[in-house]
Amino acid sequence: MAEEFGESTNAVRVELNRLTAAGLLDLKSEGRTKVYQANKNHVLFEEIHSIVKKYIGIDKLIEDIVSKLGNVELAFIIGDYAKGIDSGIIDLIIIGQVNVCYLGELVGKVEVLIKRKVKILVLNEEEFSAWKNELGKEQVLCIWSNQQVLLEGTI
């Protein structure tokens, strides 16, 4: 993080400690490594989450896809972004009947706009039901539901 932000490791450590003390981050130790994660129970989590989505461009991706594609039942992110890690690759899964050719065009445009690679998997409901069991306890971030019920956590 220090290198990414152009700051000293000490400055990053101080800020992480401040965010943890304020309750915005949860901290757990894995051996000699400290792992920080957003505190989803914090009163400001939803607002900060919304700002982050806008900053990284996921909001643009969601609106473009959903407004111009066919029948999208559910869309969620897995992988690093679902874990809160900006690896530069967004793994997006869409459940429903969509125009795959048009989706490819949209994704190409969005990748340029948000400066990140977007990997898409489109499944119908039956494929999703079968795949969901194999997914296990993968961390997911639900970004669209046609029932407006947004679930976060694991599948």
Side-chain angles (χ1 to χ4, degrees):
M1 287 180 65
E3 185 176 311
E4 185 176 337
F5 290 112
E7 294 290 336
S8 71
T9 55
N10 190 51
V12 170
R13 182 183 51 78
V14 167
E15 290 306 316
L16 288 171
N17 288 339
R18 286 182 184 160
L19 292 169
T20 302
L24 291 167
L25 294 179
D26 289 329
L27 170 65
K28 65 180 177 180
S29 294
E30 293 180 0
R32 293 176 30 140
T33 303
K34 291 183 178 182
V35 178
Y36 294 89
Q37 183 175 349
N39 177 2
K40 294 180 182 178
N41 296 321
H42 193 279
V43 68
L44 295 176
F45 174 79
E46 291 301 324
E47 189 66 28
I48 293 170
H49 184 243
S50 174
I51 291 168
V52 170
K53 285 194 304 187
K54 289 174 184 166
Y55 173 76
I56 65 174
I58 290 176
D59 62 323
K60 291 178 181 149
L61 173 67
I62 296 166
E63 292 304 317
D64 283 347
I65 289 174
V66 172
S67 68
K68 297 177 182 176
L69 289 175
N71 181 23
V72 177
E73 297 291 328
L74 179 67
F76 58 92
I77 294 173
I78 63 170
D80 287 345
Y81 271 89
K83 297 173 188 169
I85 301 167
D86 184 356
S87 65
I89 299 174
I90 300 171
D91 294 304
L92 177 64
I93 298 176
I94 298 174
I95 314 306
Q97 302 297 320
V98 299
N99 181 331
V100 179
C101 293
Y102 189 61
L103 175 60
E105 292 174 24
L106 288 176
V107 168
K109 292 176 183 177
V110 169
E111 286 178 335
V112 171
L113 182 67
I114 67 173
K115 297 178 178 81
R116 284 161 180 80
K117 176 75 177 147
V118 179
K119 295 184 343 190
I120 304 273
L121 176 62
V122 178
L123 303 169
N124 62 36
E125 289 183 41
E126 290 128 21
E127 292 169 329
F128 176 62
S129 293
W131 183 78
K132 186 165 89 169
N133 294 330
E134 294 177 23
L135 191 58
K137 297 291 183 183
E138 177 80 22
Q139 184 73 25
V140 301
L141 174 62
C142 184
I143 57 174
W144 174 264
S145 171
N146 67 350
Q147 295 146 5
Q148 300 302 315
V149 177
L150 300 182
L151 305 172
E152 290 188 19
T154 56
I155 292 181

